[in-house]
């Protein structure tokens, strides 16, 4: 109780802005508890076992050492000041054992002079170790994991020894070790065996980010067209993952990664339907499509830094899946530790990515030793450390955060502040292009990323042929028929394509293709009767009736210009188009029916917390404390 009073007084001495920074930093663990109504309630939440269990995972080596040493000395002083009952004799009952375990001497704490802590860490005299220990102590004060008493002594949470007693933290190290370079750097050039420049690192990060944006766009478009069904036990089925991976043009592990990041970023959600739980885009997906590429990737990368899972890593004996709530609370700290360790690797001296699925221990030994300093409780103390670290590094490379064994500028921005990525991404990815270059070989080339409107126009009338630094579409009779099926006419389609042309005009072969396809489009009509085919061309009707490829339709002539099909309209249309014809769908009233691909949306998840909420809460708590 005395420790909570000390922490409460320490919190009351802060400004609203300083208290808001603490609330924002610990927003995730504090959100799992009721919102505090007074400063003492906030102090109790910060020092509760559940919150402490999450916060100590994110402490680096100096802060963890100072906290552990202070807790150990505090408990020893409390035990001497108020000794507990004698240890029960051998064979004592359970109640006696628990009474001794939870006795006052095991849970009490006493203020500890800072000099005792520095002496226990071997930093009694001036020097780098003393400076690092003092800096770590002040960081603990800022985080609310320790509080200064009125006489300058240190007060720590009473449950700290229970959290840290099982961990051997080794000797105190005030500075982070650096990973050993994979090659000796050349003093003249500053590079190793591989000659790299900052521009090449930037180019590789730009290429990875552009590929990520395109892959994510295709993945979400596929989900919008056909929602993915989840298993009854949770997670996507293997069949759905394979389908989405093919649609996105990505590997299955990367598809699982993008699905989990999209769910965490609020771009997709899980909704219950009569047939089960399905995953489909939210309303935020439409707003996301209208943003520039950099703004699209910002929430996805921020979600990766805080995700409680390593989506590409599947523990032994489990089935790979996606869209399952993560329970790996150490994953965010592991990512931070690996990125912080890579930030110290000079360009050209980094090691290549470790092999998958089971890396050799030597591949990651030096990197894990350096990362362990940044987050001791989340790296080597969470087996299997090598597998988890290897998959995390591959995910970082896929997201454009690392390249050639070191951090890219985007990776450094994420390490500094995951919520401030809009500016780095805006400089990394060029703006979307609104026009394409149409060529005489019936292709359209966009030398960059097309805008949503241009992509929708070209996707409706052409087939995507290749993708890289430039995106290429090819026009064919079938693709033009697909555009005409959506209700466009030859004139409107040509006008839309001409407006999107960088040259302002379309090549003659493309105009001829559209006009010739439109001339034959709709010469036959499919109407629902289960169903009928009609055409004013009697010769064409006879041709259809005798076509061998259409025997499964069971076509019968009921008039010189009308055939009856035994299959539904959708099957009949598909069979006719597969045979090379260009039918149009007609309603029962005789009007042409416009065919559109179905799109699906679900309700967006609960809106994100108001960014100004921590400051408002801080002002209320401090005002209430001042009134009291």
């Amino acid at each position: 109780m005395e420790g909570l009073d000390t922490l409460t007084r320490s919190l009351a001495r802060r400004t609203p802005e300083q208290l808001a920074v603490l609330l924002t930093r610990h927003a995730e663990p504090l959100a799992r508890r009721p919102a505090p109504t007074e400063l003492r309630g906030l102090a109790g939440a910060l020092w509760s076992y559940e919150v402490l269990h999450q916060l100590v995972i994110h402490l680096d080596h100096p802060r963890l050492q100072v906290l552990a040493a202070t807790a150990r000395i505090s408990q020893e002083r409390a035990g001497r000041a108020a000794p507990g009952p004698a240890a029960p004799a051998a064979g004592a009952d359970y109640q006696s054992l628990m009474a001794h375990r939870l006795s006052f001497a095991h849970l009490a704490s006493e203020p500890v002079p800072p000099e005792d802590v520095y002496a226990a860490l071997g930093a009694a005299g001036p020097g780098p170790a003393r400076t690092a220990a003092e800096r770590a102590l002040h960081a603990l004060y800022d985080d609310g994991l320790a509080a200064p008493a009125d006489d300058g002594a240190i007060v720590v949470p009473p449950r700290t020894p229970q959290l840290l007693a099982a961990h051997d933290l080794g000797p105190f190290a005030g500075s982070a070790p650096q990973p050993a370079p994979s090659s000796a750097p050349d003093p003249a050039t500053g590079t190793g065996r591989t000659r790299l420049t900052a521009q090449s690192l930037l180019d590789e990060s730009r290429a990875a980010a552009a590929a990520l944006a395109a892959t994510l766009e295709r993945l979400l478009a596929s989900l919008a067209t056909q929602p993915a069904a989840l298993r009854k036990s949770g997670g996507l089925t293997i069949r759905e993952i394979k389908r989405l991976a093919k649609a996105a043009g990505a590997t299955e592990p990367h598809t699982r990664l993008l699905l989990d990041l999209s769910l965490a970023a609020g771009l997709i959600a899980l909704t219950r339907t009569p047939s089960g739980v399905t995953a489909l885009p939210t309303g935020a997906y439409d707003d996301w499509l209208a943003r520039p590429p950099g703004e699209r990737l910002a929430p996805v990368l921020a979600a990766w830094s805080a995700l409680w899972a390593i989506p590409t890593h599947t523990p032994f004996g489990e089935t790979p899946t996606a869209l399952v709530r993560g329970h790996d609370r150490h994953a965010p700290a592991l990512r931070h530790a690996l990125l912080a360790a890579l930030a110290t690797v000079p360009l050209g001296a980094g090691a290549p990515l470790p092999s998958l699925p089971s890396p050799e221990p030597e591949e990651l030994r030096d990197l894990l030793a350096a990362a362990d300093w940044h987050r001791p409780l989340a790296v080597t103390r969470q087996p299997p450390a090598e597998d988890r670290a290897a998959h995390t590094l591959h995910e970082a490379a896929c997201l454009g955060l690392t390249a050639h064994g070191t951090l890219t500028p985007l990776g450094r921005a994420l390490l500094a502040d995951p919520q401030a990525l809009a500016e780095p991404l805006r400089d990394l990815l060029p703006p979307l292009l609104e026009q394409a270059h149409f060529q005489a070989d019936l292709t359209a080339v966009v030398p960059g990323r097309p805008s949503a409107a241009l992509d929708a126009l070209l996707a409706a009338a052409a087939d995507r042929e290749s993708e890289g630094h430039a995106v290429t579409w090819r026009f064919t009779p079938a693709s033009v028929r697909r555009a005409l099926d959506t209700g466009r006419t030859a004139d409107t389609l040509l006008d839309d394509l001409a407006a999107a042309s960088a040259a302002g005009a379309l090549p003659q072969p493309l105009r001829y293709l559209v006009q010739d396809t439109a001339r034959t489009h709709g010469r036959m009509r499919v109407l629902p009767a289960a169903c009928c085919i009609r055409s004013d061309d009697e010769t064409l009707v006879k041709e259809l009736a005798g076509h061998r490829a259409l025997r499964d339709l069971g076509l019968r002539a009921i008039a010189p210009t009308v055939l009856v099909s035994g299959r539904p309209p959708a099957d009949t249309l598909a069979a006719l188009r597969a045979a090379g014809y260009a039918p149009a769908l007609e309603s029962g009233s005789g009007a042409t029916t416009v065919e559109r691909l179905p799109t699906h949306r679900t309700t967006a998840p609960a809106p994100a917390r108001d960014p100004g909420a921590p400051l408002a809460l801080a002002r209320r708590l401090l005002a209430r404390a001042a009134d009291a």
Side-chain angles (χ1 to χ4, degrees), residues 106-156:
H106 288 80
L107 296 178
S109 61
E110 286 286 332
V112 179
E115 293 298 331
D116 291 357
V117 178
Y118 299 148
L121 297 176
R130 176 63 173 263
T131 302
E134 292 177 345
R135 188 184 303 115
L137 177 59
H138 287 292
L140 290 175
Y141 288 160
D142 294 339
D143 287 340
L145 295 177
D150 294 336
D151 58 356
I154 310 169
V155 179
V156 295

Side-chain angles (χ1 to χ4, degrees), residues 73-93:
I73 299 172
S74 175
Q75 192 178 50
E76 292 173 354
R77 291 166 64 93
R80 291 193 299 267
D93 58 7

Side-chain angles (χ1 to χ4, degrees), residues 94-109:
Y94 176 78
Q95 287 77 8
S96 300
L97 291 173
M98 289 305 298
H100 179 263
R101 177 61 180 163
L102 300 178
S103 61
F104 176 78
H106 288 80
L107 296 178
S109 61

Side-chain angles (χ1 to χ4, degrees), residues 64-436:
L64 201 59
Q65 284 275 28
V66 170
L67 182 63
T70 306
R72 184 179 65 255
I73 299 172
S74 175
Q75 192 178 50
E76 292 173 354
R77 291 166 64 93
R80 291 193 299 267
D93 58 7
Y94 176 78
Q95 287 77 8
S96 300
L97 291 173
M98 289 305 298
H100 179 263
R101 177 61 180 163
L102 300 178
S103 61
F104 176 78
H106 288 80
L107 296 178
S109 61
E110 286 286 332
V112 179
E115 293 298 331
D116 291 357
V117 178
Y118 299 148
L121 297 176
R130 176 63 173 263
T131 302
E134 292 177 345
R135 188 184 303 115
L137 177 59
H138 287 292
L140 290 175
Y141 288 160
D142 294 339
D143 287 340
L145 295 177
D150 294 336
D151 58 356
I154 310 169
V155 179
V156 295
R159 305 297 293 272
T160 306
Q162 293 177 286
L163 284 172
L164 304 179
H167 299 288
D168 181 13
L169 303 177
F172 182 75
S175 58
Q178 293 189 1
S182 61
S183 58
D186 183 356
T189 62
T191 61
R193 291 189 297 266
T194 304
R195 288 186 171 273
L196 298 172
T197 63
Q199 184 60 41
S200 65
L201 192 68
L202 183 64
D203 291 342
E204 188 156 338
S205 179
R206 179 180 290 114
L212 173 66
T215 304
L216 186 59
E217 183 178 337
R218 292 194 297 268
L219 176 64
L220 295 177
S222 178
L223 270 179
T225 303
Q226 182 181 350
L230 272 69
R231 303 177 300 185
K232 291 183 179 180
S233 59
L236 284 182
T237 62
I238 297 296
R239 181 193 307 173
E240 290 286 15
I241 294 177
K242 290 181 179 295
R243 175 181 70 83
L244 293 173
K246 182 178 181 181
T251 63
E252 292 180 26
H254 286 167
T255 301
R256 299 198 306 268
L257 169 65
L258 296 184
L259 285 170
D260 284 355
L261 295 183
S262 300
L263 180 64
L267 298 177
I268 62 177
L270 307 183
T271 183
R272 186 172 295 280
T273 65
S275 59
V277 180
T278 59
L280 62 160
T282 64
Y285 166 62
D286 298 306
D287 298 332
W288 181 83
L289 282 176
R291 300 178 188 174
E295 294 185 19
R296 291 183 187 180
L297 290 186
V300 177
L301 296 179
W304 181 76
S305 67
L307 194 65
W308 278 31
I310 303 175
T312 59
H313 175 245
T314 304
F316 178 77
E318 297 185 11
T319 302
T321 187
L323 303 183
V324 177
R325 183 180 179 182
H327 297 282
D328 187 357
R329 67 172 65 196
H330 298 87
L334 173 63
R335 292 189 189 96
H336 179 93
L338 291 173
L339 295 184
L342 290 177
T344 64
V345 177
L347 186 64
L353 284 173
S355 58
L356 289 180
S358 298
E360 296 295 331
E362 295 76 12
E363 297 180 271
L364 289 166
R365 182 180 57 248
D366 294 331
L367 180 60
L368 287 179
D372 195 69
W373 184 92
H374 295 278
R375 295 294 184 269
L377 300 185
V379 183
T380 57
R381 289 167 179 80
Q382 294 299 318
E386 291 81 6
D387 288 351
R388 299 171 75 252
H391 284 84
T392 301
L393 292 174
H394 278 266
E395 290 179 6
C398 172
L399 299 176
L401 305 174
T402 63
H404 304 294
T406 188
L407 285 190
T408 64
L410 180 60
R412 295 181 185 277
L414 181 73
L415 183 63
D417 186 0
Q419 305 302 325
L421 297 177
E423 189 67 27
L425 283 168
R426 191 179 302 116
D427 298 336
L428 191 66
L429 295 176
L432 298 176
L433 299 181
E434 301 288 344
Q435 292 184 318

Side-chain angles (χ1 to χ4, degrees), residues 425-581:
L425 283 168
R426 191 179 302 116
D427 298 336
L428 191 66
L429 295 176
L432 298 176
L433 299 181
E434 301 288 344
Q435 292 184 318
H437 297 273
F438 294 89
Q439 305 184 50
D441 61 351
L442 298 180
T443 60
V445 180
V446 180
R449 296 301 309 155
S451 65
L454 179 60
D455 184 82
L457 173 63
L458 294 177
D463 298 322
R464 192 186 295 259
E465 192 171 67
S466 64
E467 187 165 358
H469 296 292
V471 188
T472 303
W473 281 268
R474 179 170 294 279
F475 293 89
T476 64
S479 68
V480 174
R481 282 201 304 267
R482 187 173 66 241
L484 298 176
D485 291 339
T486 62
R488 287 185 170 93
T489 64
D491 293 337
T492 59
L493 179 58
L494 289 173
D495 290 344
D496 292 342
L497 294 176
S501 173
L506 297 177
Q508 193 176 55
L510 178 57
R511 301 185 66 89
Y512 284 167
L513 174 64
V514 174
Q515 293 168 352
D516 291 344
T517 305
R519 191 175 300 115
T520 60
H521 185 266
R523 286 175 57 194
M524 65 198 72
R525 302 284 174 172
V526 175
L527 57 155
C531 62
C532 293
I533 303 175
R534 71 172 185 86
S535 174
D536 295 333
D537 189 343
E538 297 183 10
T539 303
L540 178 59
V541 171
K542 293 179 181 180
E543 177 185 334
L544 293 176
H547 203 298
R548 297 181 62 183
L550 302 176
R551 285 181 179 179
D552 291 340
L553 297 179
L555 299 179
R556 292 184 299 111
I558 60 174
T561 58
V562 180
L563 294 172
V564 173
S565 170
R567 305 290 294 172
D571 296 343
T572 302
L573 285 170
L576 289 171
R577 287 166 180 164
Y581 296 98

